[in-house]
Amino acid sequence: MSDVAAVNNLVTKYTQLQQEIGKVIIGQKEAVNFSLLSIFCGGHSLLIGVPGLAKTLLVNTISDALGLNFNRIQFTPDLMPSDILGSEILDETRKFKFIKGPIFSNIILADEINRTPPKTQAALLEAMQERSVTIAGHHYKLDLPFFVLATQNPIEQEGTYPLPEAQLDRFMFSINLDYPTFEEEVEVVKNTTTVNDQKVNALFNAQEIVEIQKLIRKIPVADNVVEYAVSLVGKTRPKSDFATDLVKKYIDWGAGPRASQNLILAAKANAAVHGKFSPDIEDVQAVAVPILSHRVVKNYKAEAEGITIDKIITSLF
């Protein structure tokens, strides 16, 4: 299949995919869109929202529609790295045997990742970066595609271990889930208080997802779009020549080069699912807020004056 035919096929399948997911997930279209773009780019996402917004159901439904294996890990203060990665045991023949942990799956839901100590967080984040784990000197490759969707509760911060900025940077997107509208919530209540179970059909398989990830990387990008993405990231750095007065006043630290890479990758994916064969500046802007929001650190003045990161980022367009 040619690249042009592959993009056209992706557009058709993407529309069908949204319809399948929409059978179960009411609303939350932005969260679904960014989660899918992240998978198509081979990245990971951080999902932030209060309890009860169907974060687990969202990930489970996406994995069903994509035909991928799914595991959920509930992060707790006593969770150890071996509980995620797996461990070696002595079998009946007195030989060490490796028992795989839940990390060996295509899609991982890391539920409340900030509830577990840094040592366990680091074990997951290393697997995210390397797509492999090392146990007792042995190297084990993870199944591809591999996608981690970690959740955080923005309300309850007592007894949590916030992710350091360097580890937040490993996530391609930071996706905020908001409350549903009145009409959406009415529909949710109607659908979930009856015996009518909606079945989600698998439209892809693991190999097809890997092929899409390769296709996204092959999409060409014009120099002016790359330069726009890099300058946009540069504007978030207070000491940069590109920095605006708003950034100098309210931002302590800006985004690093990984943000520029992710902006271009996500812009490619956004262009492809909309039938375009090369991204433009509008595609960069469409994905900029969830890619930059967790990489930019605002100062106390911004906190005091109620200035949000999203407002600062959109002002840079």
Side-chain angles (χ1 to χ4, degrees):
M1 187 186 294
S2 69
D3 290 349
V4 171
V7 169
N8 290 331
N9 182 56
L10 176 59
V11 174
T12 304
K13 295 284 283 283
Y14 188 73
T15 303
Q16 295 171 349
L17 190 60
Q18 289 180 311
Q19 291 169 350
E20 284 298 316
I21 293 169
K23 289 180 182 177
V24 177
I25 303 299
I26 310 299
Q28 306 295 4
K29 290 183 179 178
E30 199 172 72
V32 170
N33 179 50
F34 289 140
S35 297
L36 292 174
L37 291 184
S38 185
I39 294 173
F40 292 160
C41 292
H44 309 283
S45 289
L46 184 65
L47 203 55
I48 300 171
V50 299
L53 293 182
K55 295 188 288 290
T56 304
L57 183 62
L58 171 67
V59 186
N60 208 344
T61 305
I62 287 174
S63 66
D64 287 343
L66 293 175
L68 301 175
N69 298 322
F70 165 75
N71 273 336
R72 176 178 181 267
I73 306 171
Q74 180 64 54
F75 280 70
T76 57
D78 59 349
L79 195 74
M80 298 297 290
S82 59
D83 296 328
I84 298 173
L85 307 180
S87 56
E88 287 195 326
I89 63 166
L90 206 59
D91 65 12
E92 300 85 355
T93 61
R94 292 184 172 276
K95 290 184 179 177
F96 281 103
K97 178 183 176 184
F98 177 61
I99 304 297
K100 290 182 176 180
I103 195 80
F104 287 86
S105 189
N106 296 126
I107 295 187
I108 304 295
L109 174 62
D111 217 354
E112 294 192 287
I113 190 172
N114 56 336
R115 287 241 169 259
T116 204
K119 185 177 181 181
T120 308
Q121 289 176 356
L124 173 71
L125 293 162
E126 182 183 359
M128 286 165 52
Q129 187 71 16
E130 307 299 332
R131 301 297 201 276
S132 62
V133 298
T134 304
I135 306 289
H138 296 288
H139 207 56
Y140 301 94
K141 289 280 186 184
L142 295 173
D143 300 330
L144 294 178
F146 177 68
F147 171 65
V148 171
L149 200 150
T151 70
Q152 280 191 178
N153 177 352
I155 301 173
E156 201 178 341
Q157 297 303 325
E158 190 174 340
T160 62
Y161 304 84
L163 289 171
E165 281 70 25
Q167 293 185 352
L168 280 172
D169 195 43
R170 304 279 179 92
F171 291 97
M172 186 173 197
F173 287 102
S174 176
I175 305 167
N176 283 304
L177 257 74
D178 208 350
Y179 290 108
T181 64
F182 177 80
E183 292 77 13
E184 288 170 349
E185 194 162 347
V186 167
E187 197 172 342
V188 168
V189 173
K190 283 180 178 178
N191 289 356
T192 56
T193 53
T194 65
V195 292
N196 183 24
D197 286 333
Q198 289 282 3
K199 178 169 172 48
V200 175
N201 300 308
L203 299 176
F204 293 87
N205 58 42
Q207 185 55 40
E208 286 175 322
I209 300 296
V210 172
E211 290 302 320
I212 289 171
Q213 291 175 347
K214 291 177 182 175
L215 173 68
I216 297 300
R217 288 190 170 268
K218 285 162 65 178
I219 289 174
V221 188
D223 285 349
N224 71 303
V225 177
V226 175
E227 288 164 7
Y228 177 81
V230 173
S231 68
L232 184 62
V233 173
K235 287 177 184 177
T236 67
R237 302 166 188 163
K239 294 180 182 177
S240 164
D241 294 337
F242 299 111
T244 62
D245 291 339
L246 201 64
V247 167
K248 291 175 181 175
K249 185 177 180 182
Y250 293 119
I251 297 298
D252 270 347
W253 296 98
R258 192 179 277 152
S260 302
Q261 295 169 329
N262 286 340
L263 270 178
I264 290 300
L265 262 181
K268 285 183 176 189
N270 192 68
V273 299
H274 288 96
K276 293 190 283 187
F277 302 105
S278 181
D280 51 30
I281 286 171
E282 285 73 21
D283 291 303
V284 175
Q285 292 175 346
V287 297
V289 171
I291 282 179
L292 295 175
S293 60
H294 58 300
R295 294 182 163 95
V296 177
V297 182
K298 61 182 181 180
N299 57 26
Y300 290 109
K301 186 178 287 187
E303 290 281 359
E305 296 182 23
I307 304 294
T308 64
I309 291 289
D310 291 9
K311 180 181 177 182
I312 295 171
I313 294 169
T314 51
S315 75
L316 303 179
F317 294 169

